[in-house]
Amino acid sequence: TKHQLIIKNIISILTHFYLFESVTHTLISDVIKHLLKSFKEKDIEMLLNLLHNIGAMIRKDSPSLCKDIILLCESKKIESKITLSKPAVANPDASKAAQPAMTSFERKVKFLTEELNDIKNNKVSRHSKLLTSLKLYLNWLKTNSQIKSELLKNPLEVDFKLLDESPPGKKWWLSEEDQALLETTVKISEIESKIDKSYLAQLETAAKAQRLVTDIQKSVFYTIMNSEDYLDAYQNLHKLGLRKRQEREIVKVIVQCCVQENVFNKYYALLVKKLCDNDKSFVYSCKYTLWDYLKIIDSMAVRKIVNLGKLYGFLFSSFSLPLSVLKFLDFYEKVDKNQRLFVNVAMDEIFYNKGAEKNAKNEDEAIMASLEFIKTVFEKIKSNTSITEFKDGMSSYLAGNYYKYRSKKKGSSEAELKILEKKLKVAMDLLSGTVLQ
């Protein structure tokens, strides 16, 4: 049946997890004991397949467990009144046809007994040789420098009881404390009732397209999209009553919405700025959200990278976020194409910011105001001695990559480049004193 096929596939997955040391023998032993306690024909069939593949590995990892399995199997045979030994025959020449034939269930129990005896006696089989080859391959993977950090993690410690008793949808791998924190305090139905039905249908389609599936994510998304302006959105987000850990989703959703736009929308930038200026916990959320994007930036479209760069450049230039969040990037190593695009767009928001010049009466005052603005932005990380290497690397990047990028950009006049050189000199003096290349 379909149900039995699902169970068989799940056991097959668990078997391979165990082979690749992703789970401990604790979970596997619980599954085996559960199948033995049932001792039905279909369960024995699945048990045979499981032991045939990983029986030798179980014996090596836990000999006592192997003994327990054999004893439990023997007790279940006695309980089921199954006798596999050949009955005494009065006449040795009696035909085999006179002996009662074994049922399908008895044959499978016999195969199970033989399999367990082979495991007990450490009988080398074809599968044992395959396991040896697999072990060699796993050891090679673990010593590979590129993925060593990903494979040297501890295997998952979990028992069958926890999985069996967990209600559908519950994240059983989290502690009870974390479970409580994840429980949403918002009622999505209340938010949906305040939105026009036709517009709600559009929002639901958009949320699904962006893979915003949890109630918290959808609540934040609907609130942002249904607000009149960023101030209204800020107030409405606070009315959701999210806990601190849940509030991290706010920044994630806002940034995701921002990068998806065809053209950069300042609405999202103003909203994030308002959140960061009023609660410093959002500063950390912005930092970790950016780092998550920088991990996958190689696969992002140019439009999304530009939007991301403009968003964070705005936060840097409005003093809502320190430049030190860029320490995730190693400026001493070769910064790849997409990373350069992000950094260059963000730096444009700083070095070509016109906000400081709006009250200037003439060109000289405008230049002085812009230089003072650059000084204010970079002074915020000047005194941080824990990021000296980052500051030196960023200074070198500004003097090399960024200056070349601006000098080659179409429409950049000689006068503009001279002003840029002055701004870069101020920034680099504050970082490490690097000279323009």
Side-chain angles (χ1 to χ4, degrees):
T1 63
K2 185 178 180 181
H3 180 66
Q4 290 170 340
L5 181 62
I6 291 171
I7 296 173
K8 188 177 179 180
N9 288 338
I10 291 172
I11 290 176
S12 179
I13 290 170
L14 288 176
T15 301
H16 284 83
F17 279 164
Y18 182 61
L19 283 171
F20 282 90
E21 301 177 6
S22 298
V23 297
T24 62
H25 66 269
T26 305
L27 177 58
I28 299 298
S29 68
D30 287 346
V31 172
I32 292 172
K33 289 175 182 177
H34 183 78
L35 292 172
L36 278 172
K37 285 177 183 177
S38 169
F39 215 66
K40 294 178 182 178
E41 187 174 346
K42 291 294 181 183
D43 294 332
I44 292 173
E45 187 179 322
M46 287 186 280
L47 191 58
L48 270 168
N49 184 49
L50 191 150
L51 290 172
H52 195 61
N53 285 286
I54 59 173
M57 193 170 171
I58 292 173
R59 184 185 186 279
K60 183 180 178 182
D61 289 346
S62 180
S64 61
L65 170 61
C66 188
K67 183 180 178 182
D68 291 342
I69 293 170
I70 294 171
L71 291 174
L72 182 58
C73 181
E74 290 299 321
S75 67
K76 294 302 292 187
K77 282 194 295 182
I78 295 170
E79 186 182 317
S80 302
K81 297 179 181 180
I82 296 175
T83 304
L84 299 177
S85 58
K86 292 182 179 179
V89 181
N91 183 6
D93 297 327
S95 65
K96 294 182 180 180
Q99 299 180 17
M102 294 178 69
T103 64
S104 173
F105 176 62
E106 288 175 331
R107 280 197 301 272
K108 286 176 181 175
V109 173
K110 181 186 177 184
F111 291 145
L112 176 62
T113 304
E114 291 173 353
E115 188 69 44
L116 286 171
N117 284 332
D118 287 346
I119 295 169
K120 177 184 175 182
N121 298 323
N122 200 21
K123 187 177 178 181
V124 178
S125 64
R126 184 175 65 87
H127 282 79
S128 298
K129 293 176 181 177
L130 289 174
L131 285 176
T132 304
S133 300
L134 181 61
K135 281 283 185 184
L136 293 172
Y137 177 65
L138 285 173
N139 289 332
W140 177 82
L141 283 176
K142 288 180 180 180
T143 54
N144 189 305
S145 60
Q146 293 181 352
I147 53 178
K148 185 176 180 181
S149 61
E150 296 180 14
L151 288 172
L152 290 183
K153 295 176 181 177
N154 293 326
L156 181 65
E157 286 276 4
V158 63
D159 55 37
F160 182 77
K161 183 180 178 182
L162 177 63
L163 299 179
D164 190 41
E165 295 179 353
S166 295
K170 184 177 180 181
K171 297 184 177 181
W172 49 264
W173 56 90
L174 298 177
S175 65
E176 290 184 4
E177 182 184 355
D178 288 337
Q179 285 281 1
L181 287 169
L182 284 174
E183 289 177 1
T184 179
T185 56
V186 297
K187 291 184 178 179
I188 189 70
S189 57
E190 292 182 3
I191 298 171
E192 290 175 343
S193 64
K194 299 175 183 178
I195 306 173
D196 180 72
K197 288 185 179 180
S198 60
Y199 185 48
L200 177 61
Q202 296 177 24
L203 292 180
E204 287 175 342
T205 303
K208 188 176 181 180
Q210 295 193 43
R211 297 180 181 178
L212 303 173
V213 293
T214 68
D215 282 352
I216 295 176
Q217 290 174 336
K218 288 192 287 187
S219 299
V220 172
F221 180 68
Y222 294 165
T223 301
I224 293 169
M225 293 302 174
N226 199 45
S227 298
E228 294 181 3
D229 53 31
Y230 79 95
L231 293 174
D232 184 42
Y234 173 77
Q235 295 294 334
N236 292 335
L237 287 171
H238 273 281
K239 290 177 184 177
L240 293 177
L242 299 177
R243 298 185 181 96
K244 282 295 179 184
R245 284 198 181 185
Q246 294 171 339
E247 285 182 341
R248 295 176 184 175
E249 294 295 320
I250 294 177
V251 171
K252 290 180 181 178
V253 173
I254 296 173
V255 175
Q256 186 169 335
C257 291
C258 181
V259 299
Q260 294 291 339
E261 293 283 350
N262 291 324
V263 180
F264 177 68
N265 190 336
K266 201 173 181 179
Y267 166 71
Y268 302 110
L270 291 169
L271 180 54
V272 176
K273 171 179 165 54
K274 184 70 176 175
L275 291 167
C276 291
D277 292 347
N278 287 274
D279 189 341
K280 294 304 175 186
S281 65
F282 285 106
V283 173
Y284 292 99
S285 297
C286 285
K287 177 175 73 173
Y288 293 121
T289 300
L290 173 61
W291 291 2
D292 288 339
Y293 274 97
L294 290 176
K295 291 174 185 176
I296 60 167
I297 199 167
D298 288 342
S299 61
M300 290 174 63
V302 172
R303 168 180 55 84
K304 294 182 179 181
I305 299 171
V306 170
N307 286 343
L308 186 69
K310 287 186 175 182
L311 172 63
Y312 277 88
F314 175 83
L315 296 175
F316 295 144
S317 62
S318 60
F319 315 114
S320 298
L321 204 62
L323 281 166
S324 56
V325 302
L326 292 175
K327 65 183 179 181
F328 182 88
L329 296 170
D330 188 354
F331 287 105
Y332 278 109
E333 295 293 330
K334 185 179 180 181
V335 183
D336 63 39
K337 182 181 177 181
N338 285 1
Q339 289 176 340
R340 286 200 306 272
L341 175 60
F342 165 76
V343 175
N344 290 341
V345 171
M347 291 302 105
D348 280 349
E349 293 295 310
I350 297 173
F351 288 100
Y352 287 86
N353 188 291
K354 300 295 181 182
E357 305 172 9
K358 61 182 179 181
N359 295 324
K361 296 178 181 179
N362 52 55
E363 188 177 348
D364 290 339
E365 284 189 13
I367 294 173
M368 291 301 296
S370 62
L371 293 176
E372 191 64 31
F373 167 76
I374 298 297
K375 183 179 178 182
T376 307
V377 172
F378 286 88
E379 263 186 340
K380 287 186 173 291
I381 61 170
K382 178 185 177 182
S383 58
N384 192 340
T385 56
S386 64
I387 55 170
T388 303
E389 188 175 338
F390 159 73
K391 291 188 292 184
D392 291 342
M394 188 174 187
S395 181
S396 298
Y397 181 88
L398 291 175
N401 284 291
Y402 181 67
Y403 182 71
K404 288 178 182 177
Y405 154 75
R406 288 306 312 186
S407 60
K408 292 179 180 179
K409 192 168 184 178
K410 292 181 179 180
S412 296
S413 65
E414 189 174 338
E416 286 178 338
L417 286 176
K418 285 184 178 180
I419 295 172
L420 177 62
E421 288 173 8
K422 293 179 181 179
K423 293 178 181 180
L424 288 173
K425 186 178 185 306
V426 171
M428 291 184 295
D429 284 343
L430 291 169
L431 290 171
S432 65
T434 306
V435 180
L436 279 177
Q437 297 176 4

